Amino acid sequence: MIIEVELPTRTRATGPVHLSDVLAAIPENRWTWVVLDFDGVGVAPGGMPEFGDRVRAEGVPFTWEELLRFADGQEQTIDCLIVAERAGERVAEVEAFDGGAWLVRVPDEWERAVELLDGLRD
């Protein structure tokens, strides 16, 4: 079962909620993460324009550690869809909409992740 959490991309108390903040709530894992859509400001492998071309053409796979490094290089995420796959099955998703909301879908066994994500609303 999947749990869905919606978050703002900005809070009054802490300001912007970055991709790295969202990923920090997700436990370390060995899944393959694939960036299927990305529009943002920051640093990307090969440069942002080329990265965007690769994402649109085929998606860009990352290990968990690589995804965390990518997220650390992002100043702002406007739109994105990043999915986790295990044995060819989609098991988690991180999505940003129009710079206004995050939608995170994680397995229900990650209850602690849901608590941490809820904490980003404050």
Side-chain angles (χ1 to χ4, degrees):
M1 185 171 176
I2 297 290
I3 298 174
E4 189 173 280
V5 179
E6 187 170 343
L7 308 164
T9 57
R10 183 172 206 74
T11 68
R12 289 183 191 171
T14 61
V17 177
H18 297 285
L19 177 59
S20 58
D21 299 323
V22 173
L23 295 181
I26 296 175
E28 183 177 338
N29 59 80
R30 295 179 183 257
W31 298 339
T32 299
W33 290 81
V34 182
V35 178
L36 297 175
D37 181 32
F38 192 85
D39 180 19
V41 178
V43 178
M48 195 58 86
E50 293 82 4
F51 179 76
D53 292 343
R54 287 181 35 223
V55 166
R56 284 185 291 281
E58 59 193 7
V60 177
F62 287 97
T63 64
W64 179 243
E65 293 78 18
E66 292 167 337
L67 183 62
L68 293 176
R69 281 193 300 275
F70 169 75
D72 284 342
Q74 302 313 304
E75 295 174 34
Q76 180 184 16
T77 303
I78 300 164
D79 289 297
C80 79
L81 176 58
I82 304 170
V83 301
E85 298 176 349
R86 177 178 55 198
E89 179 183 343
R90 191 175 288 189
V91 292
E93 297 180 1
V94 174
E95 201 165 0
F97 297 98
D98 222 9
W102 289 104
L103 187 59
V104 182
R105 297 175 189 93
V106 295
D108 60 354
E109 64 260 21
W110 285 2
E111 289 178 41
R112 180 67 180 138
V114 172
E115 292 172 12
L116 292 170
L117 288 165
D118 281 340
L120 291 174
R121 290 188 177 132
D122 300 334

